[in-house]
Amino acid sequence: MVALAHTPPSAERLRAVDGFLTEAWTDQVRHDERLRPLDVEVRFDRGVAHLTGEVDEPAQLRLVREQVGRLAGVFGVWCRVRVAGRDPVVVDLGCGATKQWPGNLGLDIFPAPGVDAVADLSGSLPLADDSVDVLFAVHILEHLIDFLPLLDECHRVLRPGGVLHVMSPWWGHVNAVADPTHVRLLDVQTVKGVCVMRPPGTPRWYPLHAGSDGASIFADLTPLGPDDDGPSATHLARFFD
């Protein structure tokens, strides 16, 4: 069973957790010969692992993601890693004037500095099939009455092995209801529903990571193909009730 915090951790505790995670990851790399030669930097910020650097092949990036994600206290693993000399295509959905990383492609319904393309996120995304490596949906889903069409569009535009990073207010925190433009309440269990409760024939997702810090929920999702196996019960038990 996943225990969700009812009170978000203090800034001091978050700094301490980040320090613990940094020490734990350094120790893990020291003892894992698969990780030592990889040119990937892992930085922890309020429980989110930020990965940068370069690897030779996708399997190496998957290895780092999986090992970082196993550390207790990690809420998400956000990656901007070059693979085989290619920069990832990273898109910020609903970015406004602030992108998660400089250089991301920014989409928003309103023009603003940093918005590269104006797009209604409740409709089709102006992106080609299988064209994006990383999508950010940070404080977006709670603004959409029905966010499933957007998730289906994210599934369409992500390359196989691509990742959708979700962050939204947790339903039990005041931030979820303080903003009058919020029209949906979300929980980590909502992410489970997205992954295992969609009707047959709809786009399917595999949860790489999911969690809550008592103020926000986090999820890292990767698209499944029609013939791919879904998450096992033991994998789901890592994140969900």
Side-chain angles (χ1 to χ4, degrees):
M1 178 179 293
V2 175
L4 297 181
H6 292 281
T7 302
S10 66
E12 181 179 0
R13 173 162 173 76
L14 287 172
R15 285 193 296 270
V17 169
D18 288 340
F20 161 78
L21 291 171
T22 300
E23 293 174 0
W25 179 246
T26 300
D27 188 60
Q28 185 162 337
V29 172
R30 184 183 304 118
H31 290 89
D32 192 330
E33 62 183 15
R34 301 170 302 170
L35 299 171
R36 284 199 299 269
L38 299 182
D39 184 21
V40 177
E41 179 183 352
V42 181
R43 177 180 61 86
F44 297 96
D45 182 8
R46 292 171 294 176
V48 175
H50 294 262
L51 277 56
T52 55
E54 184 167 2
V55 295
D56 294 329
E57 55 188 36
Q60 294 173 322
L61 178 56
R62 287 196 298 271
L63 172 66
V64 178
R65 277 197 59 95
E66 290 170 359
Q67 296 305 308
V68 172
R70 288 178 178 272
L71 297 178
V74 171
F75 296 122
V77 183
W78 293 8
C79 296
R80 189 180 179 88
V81 176
R82 288 168 57 89
V83 179
R86 183 179 68 83
D87 287 322
V89 177
V90 185
V91 177
D92 257 306
L93 301 175
C95 65
T98 304
K99 296 178 181 177
Q100 300 306 309
W101 285 314
N104 291 359
L105 176 67
L107 303 184
D108 201 287
I109 194 171
F110 299 112
V115 174
D116 299 290
V118 175
D120 183 353
L121 299 183
S122 64
S124 299
L125 296 177
L127 300 165
D129 294 358
D130 304 325
S131 62
V132 178
D133 296 289
V134 178
L135 282 167
F136 281 102
V138 176
H139 292 296
I140 295 303
L141 300 188
E142 65 272 17
H143 293 275
L144 300 174
I145 294 175
D146 183 5
F147 59 73
L148 292 177
L150 174 60
L151 294 187
D152 292 347
E153 278 291 282
C154 291
H155 193 286
R156 176 184 66 80
V157 305
L158 279 172
R159 292 190 174 107
V163 180
L164 167 64
H165 298 304
V166 173
M167 179 179 176
S168 286
W170 179 54
W171 71 269
H173 192 268
V174 66
N175 288 347
V177 294
D179 187 336
T181 67
H182 291 177
V183 295
R184 291 296 302 266
L185 297 176
L186 292 99
D187 186 76
V188 177
Q189 297 301 115
T190 312
V191 179
K192 180 182 180 182
V194 166
C195 294
V196 302
M197 297 179 64
R198 299 293 304 280
T202 54
R204 301 162 60 231
W205 294 94
Y206 188 95
L208 298 173
H209 221 80
S212 173
D213 64 1
S216 302
I217 66 163
F218 304 85
D220 299 340
L221 307 176
T222 192
L224 287 172
D227 300 322
D228 292 337
D229 293 331
S232 66
T234 52
H235 181 76
L236 293 173
R238 290 180 60 192
F239 313 122
F240 310 115
D241 293 343

